[in-house]
Amino acid sequence: MIAAAPYFAVAFLYLAIRIRVLKTLGQTVTPLPLATHLATLPSVLASYLKILIWPVGLSVEYHTPYVHHFTGLGFFLPAAAVASFVALLVAWSFCSRPAAFASLWLGLPILPALDLPVFFRDEIV
């Protein structure tokens, strides 16, 4: 961490200047209510999980509709699939340090893709 400290300092300086100039980290392209954003996240994560586990029929973009309510199969089924996968990764991570490291590197790069308002409508996956 000590060796990486200068790089963190440069990154934080860049972020501070960017936020000062642009007033935000990203630009909102598709305004979404917070409830729709949160209800759609399990569906988006489940889509990425499906592509990760079974990469058949790959495409540049996938039709993933917005979920507007926290009810029904559009929310609960993807949420259950993602929760099960995360539980398996967490259990495996407790047994193995390499699995914990791999799980971290599997999860961190997907975080920017979860900022759904920065994508065009119907192009969230």
Side-chain angles (χ1 to χ4, degrees):
M1 291 300 287
I2 292 172
Y7 299 104
F8 286 122
V10 170
F12 287 125
L13 180 65
Y14 164 76
L15 286 174
I17 293 171
R18 178 184 172 93
I19 290 172
R20 177 88 166 124
V21 171
L22 299 177
K23 308 288 190 246
T24 183
L25 276 177
Q27 180 182 1
T28 299
V29 175
T30 306
L32 287 176
L34 182 61
T36 300
H37 186 169
L38 295 176
T40 306
L41 286 179
S43 178
V44 169
L45 285 169
S47 295
Y48 283 121
L49 185 61
K50 178 196 159 288
I51 295 166
L52 176 71
I53 293 173
W54 193 258
V56 174
L58 298 177
S59 176
V60 174
E61 54 188 61
Y62 301 89
H63 177 69
T64 305
Y66 291 106
V67 179
H68 298 284
H69 305 286
F70 291 97
T71 58
L73 292 179
F75 174 76
F76 286 114
L77 192 60
V82 170
S84 300
F85 184 74
V86 169
L88 285 172
L89 284 181
V90 168
W92 191 23
S93 296
F94 280 122
C95 299
S96 167
R97 283 184 62 104
F101 182 75
S103 298
L104 184 67
W105 279 107
L106 181 67
L108 285 178
I110 198 73
L111 292 178
L114 300 180
D115 189 12
L116 303 182
V118 301
F119 297 107
F120 290 107
R121 183 165 298 281
D122 297 328
E123 295 182 5
I124 55 178
V125 174

